[in-house]
Amino acid sequence: MNAFLPKDNYRYFLADLFPMFFKPQALQPRFKPDKIIALRPELLIHSGSKREAYIHPQDPNLCIKVDRLWRRGYRISPRKRLKRLLMPWLIDFWSNREEARVYRSVALKIGEEFFEHAPRCYGIVMTNLGPGLVVERVSDEDGSFSQPIDVYVKNNPGKLKHALDLLEDLYDFLIKHDLVIYDWANPSNFLVRKNSIRGDKIVVVDWKTEGTADKDLPWRDIFPALARKKMTFEYNCLRENIARLASMD
């Protein structure tokens, strides 16, 4: 997990607070492997607010997630750094570190069932854009890459009930294992993986929000019932949005 943090993290914090005394320096990784993977702009497949995902240049069935902060420089606002220092329950600046925690703890605890709803993780690599997390690109039985649930419903309006049943199956899985996902507003986070033998499943491609509240006061961490209530509300909102998509066609 700490492989995704830069060296001497507090140095950057002090440079933000007192730039007149501390000279800003480029982020330095904690490890230096023999090989560095070059990620070119044409390999970019998704750009989020905190991370970018690239096709693995050596295997198109894998992708590499890289925190944007490595590419965009060292600076984070002093206010955010101070809040993160004093409130360690807040979402980490380093999304790969958060997701690596899920694979290191949750995935090992649940076992193979976890990968019915999550991409497999293949470790850490060093890229020209910083350390990256290697995960599978979710694909269907025929080898094509799985579609987000909203795209799936738009392309298959007659399978709305099936899509909602798959979403319910994911929700039941989360409840069964006391897991909480906070990011239900983005349908592209939920892919429909089609498989006639094992059965279709919803695969969540971003697990960094599992169990991590982005609030100044961690009420949802202190009171798990609140976290589950919030997740249930957002889950139902996604169901309604997906159903609305089908009715528009």
Side-chain angles (χ1 to χ4, degrees):
M1 289 166 51
N2 288 337
F4 293 107
L5 295 177
K7 287 183 179 179
D8 302 324
N9 205 30
Y10 287 102
R11 182 179 58 195
Y12 307 111
F13 173 71
L14 293 173
D16 282 339
L17 287 179
F18 308 106
M20 68 290 294
F21 301 117
F22 297 90
K23 182 180 179 180
Q25 298 183 16
L27 294 176
Q28 297 296 319
R30 290 175 180 258
F31 70 101
K32 294 182 179 180
D34 296 333
K35 187 174 183 180
I36 296 179
I37 297 177
L39 298 179
R40 304 182 303 276
E42 59 268 24
L43 296 175
L44 180 67
I45 54 177
H46 179 72
S47 182
S49 60
K50 296 184 178 180
R51 283 190 296 186
E52 293 177 335
Y54 293 81
I55 300 172
H56 197 301
Q58 299 167 7
D59 188 344
N61 294 310
L62 302 176
C63 73
I64 302 176
K65 299 180 180 182
V66 181
D67 286 303
R68 292 168 69 99
L69 284 174
W70 288 98
R71 183 172 62 83
R72 297 202 168 187
Y74 79 97
R75 185 172 177 78
I76 300 173
S77 72
R79 179 175 178 271
K80 287 185 176 180
R81 282 197 185 275
L82 185 60
K83 284 182 65 175
R84 187 67 182 85
L85 180 66
L86 299 178
M87 304 176 185
W89 55 82
L90 295 180
I91 286 180
D92 205 325
F93 295 135
W94 308 98
S95 298
N96 274 343
R97 182 172 181 265
E98 285 292 298
E99 195 160 34
R101 178 191 61 80
V102 175
Y103 280 105
R104 183 175 175 82
S105 57
V106 176
L108 290 177
K109 177 181 177 181
I110 295 176
E112 193 65 22
E113 185 185 2
F114 178 76
F115 297 105
E116 293 181 357
H117 297 288
R120 293 187 181 275
C121 179
Y122 295 98
I124 303 168
V125 295
M126 180 57 72
T127 77
N128 58 317
L129 303 178
L133 188 68
V134 182
V135 297
E136 70 169 315
R137 296 178 68 189
V138 181
S139 59
D140 295 337
E141 185 179 27
D142 61 3
S144 61
F145 296 115
S146 302
Q147 298 175 329
I149 188 171
D150 57 337
V151 177
Y152 174 83
V153 170
K154 285 181 180 179
N155 293 339
N156 306 275
K159 294 188 176 182
L160 171 63
K161 184 180 183 305
H162 180 59
L164 295 180
D165 287 344
L166 294 179
L167 205 56
E168 183 177 3
D169 178 60
L170 168 65
Y171 176 79
D172 291 342
F173 165 80
L174 297 172
I175 295 298
K176 173 184 174 183
H177 293 287
D178 293 322
L179 302 178
V180 176
I181 291 177
Y182 292 109
D183 185 14
W184 294 81
N186 185 6
S188 63
N189 192 30
F190 303 89
L191 304 184
V192 179
R193 177 160 56 191
K194 295 182 287 185
N195 191 299
S196 61
I197 299 176
R198 298 180 181 178
D200 298 349
K201 295 288 183 181
I202 295 288
V203 178
V204 181
V205 296
D206 185 353
W207 283 88
K208 71 176 182 295
T209 64
E210 190 282 316
T212 307
D214 191 14
K215 300 294 181 183
D216 288 355
L217 293 176
W219 297 117
R220 290 182 293 187
D221 289 347
I222 298 172
F223 303 104
L226 290 179
R228 181 173 296 187
K229 183 178 180 180
K230 176 66 174 177
M231 183 179 74
T232 301
F233 173 78
E234 295 187 358
Y235 156 74
N236 286 325
C237 287
L238 178 60
R239 286 181 62 92
E240 292 174 4
N241 291 337
I242 296 302
R244 193 177 300 115
L245 285 174
S247 65
M248 293 171 61
D249 294 332

